[in-house]
């Protein structure tokens, strides 16, 4: 059920008996654009009314039923305050669905379609949400009517995502491939729970949108479903400086430029692919990201090495050209980085291997370890505050705690030398 609104002057017959009789109802806001009113007559039973906003500062008022001023509520002809709220919301839903041309039951698939359309029109892309919906939400819940959706149903689906085999990137037209997971490995289970939480977020966002639009009466079924806790704090994988040098040396020439760009900026793969030569300002030593994941632009401040690198890549080229292109002139497109990254990991003997996004983690990790303030790191990465930086890299920051322990902790003598010698580079 939807949240019941409280109002001390309307929720009991005793409270309503103290109100003055008047032609204008006593209104209480239930939802944006919806008010529940109580019309107090000079004598006799009061009436519950619903006031609907229809735009252009205009409202429509409809009478719902009699209030339980003298007789007990029966849920039909005589309504209590909570029952009147429920009926007002259901009338609002009916109006919204009729206006949208939807006469049949609204399903989860309808909500997903509306949400994806909203993302495509108002956000950078709905691609990730569409993938999550197609792969995990629609097959299990797409045909379910939203009004019939239950909390237990969503909880079981959410838990089932953890047990499902992870999907392997498969070429279009080919049979979907999966990989096995080790259920005894806590980190693999943690990653599956984290993935399940992200998919649950997509489902909730879609359902919340139709609920806020007044197309369903209650958000209770999914509001009570909680994500798995303590599964987002993954150990960030980043490269040491030596590993980064090995990786660069193992890359093909055109891909090496792209990898170096990532290591010098901490920018995302998509941001690097969208860079134009004119986005580099050699005078200010910055690179401008025109449009980021959050639809906001930013300027990335470069180190001296970074400025020198971008000068070499931009030299003699038109401002409208892509900053990073393949040797044949083609652009780097979605997922084009995956295979070259795997090959470079193999040749450089990076173990465990790192993906392209790990280069962003590498820049941020070393920046924090070198004492750059977290707010500065966050600004370069494109975050609005330091929360994400603190979450992923805070443990790497120099601190008085670490300095105090290293200075004052007990020492137990030198470690006896062994036969195994570490290798560098």
């Amino acid at each position: 059920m939807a949240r019941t609104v409280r109002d001390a002057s309307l929720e009991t017959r005793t409270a309503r008996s103290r109100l003055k009789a008047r032609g204008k109802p006593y209104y209480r806001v239930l939802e944006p654009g919806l008010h529940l009113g109580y019309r107090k007559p000079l004598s006799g039973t009061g009436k519950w009314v619903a006031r609907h906003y229809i735009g252009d500062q205009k409202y429509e008022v409809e009478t719902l039923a009699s209030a339980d001023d003298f007789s007990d509520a029966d849920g039909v002809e005589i309504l209590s305050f909570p029952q009147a709220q429920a009926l007002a919301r259901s009338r609002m839903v009916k109006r919204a669905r009729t206006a949208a041309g939807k006469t049949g039951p609204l399903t989860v698939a309808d909500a997903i379609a509306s949400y994806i359309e909203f993302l495509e029109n108002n956000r950078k892309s709905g691609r990730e949400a569409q993938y999550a919906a197609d792969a995990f939400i629609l097959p299990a819940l797409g045909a379910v009517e939203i009004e019939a959706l239950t909390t237990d149903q969503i909880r079981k689906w959410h838990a089932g995502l953890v047990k499902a085999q992870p999907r392997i990137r498969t070429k279009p037209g080919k049979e979907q491939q999966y990989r096995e997971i080790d259920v005894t490995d806590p980190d693999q289970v943690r990653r599956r729970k984290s993935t399940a939480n992200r998919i649950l977020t997509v489902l909730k966002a879609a359902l919340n949108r139709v609920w806020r639009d007044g197309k369903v009466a209650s958000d209770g079924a999914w509001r009570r479903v909680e994500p798995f806790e303590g599964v987002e704090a993954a150990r960030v994988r980043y490269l040491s400086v030596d590993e980064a040098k090995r990786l660069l040396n193992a890359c093909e020439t055109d891909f090496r430029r792209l990898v170096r760009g990532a290591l010098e900026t901490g920018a995302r793969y998509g941001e690097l692919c969208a860079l134009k030569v004119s986005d580099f300002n050699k005078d200010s030593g910055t690179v401008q990201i025109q449009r980021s994941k959050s639809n906001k632009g930013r300027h990335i401040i470069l180190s001296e090495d970074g400025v020198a690198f971008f000068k070499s890549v931009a030299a003699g080229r038109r401002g409208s050209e892509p900053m990073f292109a393949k040797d044949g002139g083609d652009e780097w497109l979605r997922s084009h980085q995956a295979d070259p990254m795997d090959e470079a990991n193999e040749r450089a003997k990076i173990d465990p291997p790192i993906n392209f996004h790990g280069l962003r983690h590498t820049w941020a990790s070393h920046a924090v370890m070198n004492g750059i303030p977290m707010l500065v790191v966050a600004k370069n990465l494109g975050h609005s505050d330091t929360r994400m930086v603190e979450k992923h890299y805070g443990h790497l920051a120099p601190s008085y705690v670490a300095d105090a322990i290293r200075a004052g902790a007990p020492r137990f003598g030198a470690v006896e030398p062994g036969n195994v010698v570490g290798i560098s580079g």
Side-chain angles (χ1 to χ4, degrees), residues 283-357:
D283 296 324
S284 63
T286 60
V287 169
Q288 183 178 7
I289 302 298
Q290 299 283 356
R291 191 179 183 189
S292 68
K293 184 178 179 181
S294 60
N295 272 346
K296 296 180 180 179
R298 71 182 188 279
H299 287 85
I300 296 176
I301 301 172
L302 301 170
S303 66
E304 291 183 2
D305 287 352
V307 171
F309 165 71
F310 274 92
K311 280 182 178 179
S312 68
V313 175
R317 301 173 63 202
R318 295 191 300 273
S320 59
E321 293 183 47
M323 177 66 74
F324 299 105
K326 298 180 182 179
D327 282 343
D330 293 337
E331 295 182 15
W332 291 98
L333 301 177
R334 182 173 178 243
S335 300
H336 282 194
Q337 83 285 10
D339 289 342
M341 197 72 188
D342 290 342
E343 293 167 3
N345 273 304
E346 182 69 23
R347 286 195 290 266
K349 294 181 171 54
I350 304 298
D351 186 25
I354 197 167
N355 59 20
F356 196 93
H357 194 72

Side-chain angles (χ1 to χ4, degrees), residues 33-35 51-61:
L34 176 66
H35 298 76
R51 186 172 70 173
H52 305 272
Y53 182 68
I54 58 175
D56 196 26
Q57 304 299 313
K58 295 180 180 178
Y59 291 86
E60 286 185 357
V61 178

Side-chain angles (χ1 to χ4, degrees), residues 10-29:
L10 297 178
E11 57 191 26
T12 67
R13 61 180 61 166
T14 301
R16 294 193 296 269
S17 69
R18 291 194 289 264
L19 296 175
K20 293 182 179 180
R22 68 183 194 184
K24 180 181 178 180
Y26 293 88
Y27 282 112
R28 180 68 169 86
V29 177

Side-chain angles (χ1 to χ4, degrees), residues 103-285:
T103 57
L106 197 67
T107 65
V108 172
D110 294 325
I112 291 291
S114 176
Y115 179 59
I116 298 298
E117 181 181 5
F118 165 77
L119 291 178
E120 294 290 354
N121 292 334
N122 297 278
R123 298 290 187 266
K124 186 176 181 181
S125 172
R127 186 175 59 231
E128 292 183 6
Q130 185 70 70
Y131 172 80
D134 290 342
F136 304 105
I137 300 174
L138 296 178
L141 301 174
V144 179
E145 297 178 16
I146 298 177
E147 297 286 4
L149 201 59
T150 67
T151 300
D152 285 344
Q153 191 174 16
I154 301 174
R155 282 175 178 159
K156 289 178 181 178
W157 164 80
H158 183 223
L161 295 174
V162 180
K163 301 174 184 177
Q165 290 180 309
R167 296 160 64 97
I168 298 174
R169 187 172 64 248
T170 307
K171 293 183 178 179
K174 299 291 185 180
E175 183 180 356
Q176 179 63 54
Q177 300 295 310
Y178 301 86
R179 63 179 174 84
E180 296 289 338
I181 62 171
D182 182 358
V183 295
T184 65
D185 183 344
D187 192 57
Q188 289 193 38
V189 175
R190 181 203 60 77
R191 289 199 297 267
R192 294 304 297 159
K193 288 184 176 180
S194 178
T195 298
N197 282 353
R198 290 195 296 273
I199 299 168
L200 175 65
T201 297
V202 173
L203 174 64
K204 283 189 170 185
L207 295 175
N208 281 334
R209 184 159 186 80
V210 295
W211 174 68
R212 286 194 299 269
D213 287 345
K215 296 178 182 178
V216 293
S218 172
D219 66 338
W222 57 89
R223 176 164 43 87
R224 290 188 288 266
V225 180
E226 299 178 351
F228 297 112
E229 296 183 355
V231 299
E232 306 303 329
R235 184 177 69 87
V236 172
R237 171 77 170 106
Y238 66 91
L239 298 174
S240 67
V241 173
D242 285 341
E243 286 178 320
K245 291 179 179 178
R246 293 209 318 263
L247 184 71
L248 284 168
N249 291 334
C251 293
E252 299 293 341
T253 304
D254 51 0
F255 189 58
R256 183 183 304 133
R257 292 193 293 268
L258 191 64
V259 170
R260 182 66 182 264
L263 289 170
E264 294 291 355
T265 62
R268 302 176 179 90
Y269 173 72
E271 295 171 344
L272 294 169
C273 294
L275 276 182
K276 303 296 183 184
V277 172
S278 60
D279 291 327
F280 168 59
N281 188 323
K282 63 181 180 181
D283 296 324
S284 63

